[in-house]
Amino acid sequence: MALSSPIVLQAASTLAIIGTVGLFAVFLSTTAHIAARNVLGDVSVIKAFGVGPIPAVISVVAQALGVPAVVSLPLAIVADGAAINYFYGESRRITAYITVIHIVVTIIIGTVLFGILTIAMTAPGG
């Protein structure tokens, strides 16, 4: 896309956008809680629900605006780390560790769920 090209958004209903952001935020909150429990032990799930929506909104908005993943992914990861630091109040080292674990857990669980969905959608007789 040239710099002088107008930004064209995909036509989608408001409900579809809110649903996408909401489901992605719940997924990222769940994986953030798993990561924080892995590192810190017993932590409040409420803190994770503050972490999840931030990278979810960044990801969906970046996708809607056509921002390349090479730009939006580091931005979402930095925002995720900042949210983890804010909500859990740990040192930078522990925050970085939780953020890395969050990325790993998100990739693993996301891959498994995508695989299950793919198998279910391609199953014969369905």
Side-chain angles (χ1 to χ4, degrees):
M1 174 169 32
L3 293 176
S4 62
S5 299
I7 296 175
V8 179
L9 299 177
Q10 293 179 347
S13 72
T14 304
L15 184 60
I17 294 169
I18 292 170
T20 300
V21 172
L23 285 174
F24 195 35
V26 168
F27 173 72
L28 290 175
S29 295
T30 302
T31 57
H33 183 65
I34 292 168
R37 282 188 59 112
N38 182 287
V39 176
L40 302 174
D42 193 24
V43 292
S44 172
V45 72
I46 300 301
K47 293 178 180 182
F49 281 106
V51 173
I54 296 167
V57 168
I58 291 171
S59 297
V60 172
V61 168
Q63 179 66 31
L65 295 175
V67 177
V70 73
V71 174
S72 63
L73 186 59
L75 178 63
I77 290 171
V78 167
D80 187 44
I84 288 170
N85 188 18
Y86 177 79
F87 285 102
Y88 291 100
E90 297 294 327
S91 68
R92 286 186 177 171
R93 184 175 177 167
I94 298 297
T95 297
Y97 187 56
I98 295 170
T99 304
V100 168
I101 298 297
H102 185 207
I103 293 166
V104 171
V105 168
T106 300
I107 291 170
I108 291 170
I109 294 176
T111 302
V112 169
L113 291 176
F114 181 76
I116 290 170
L117 181 64
T118 302
I119 291 169
M121 291 181 69
T122 59

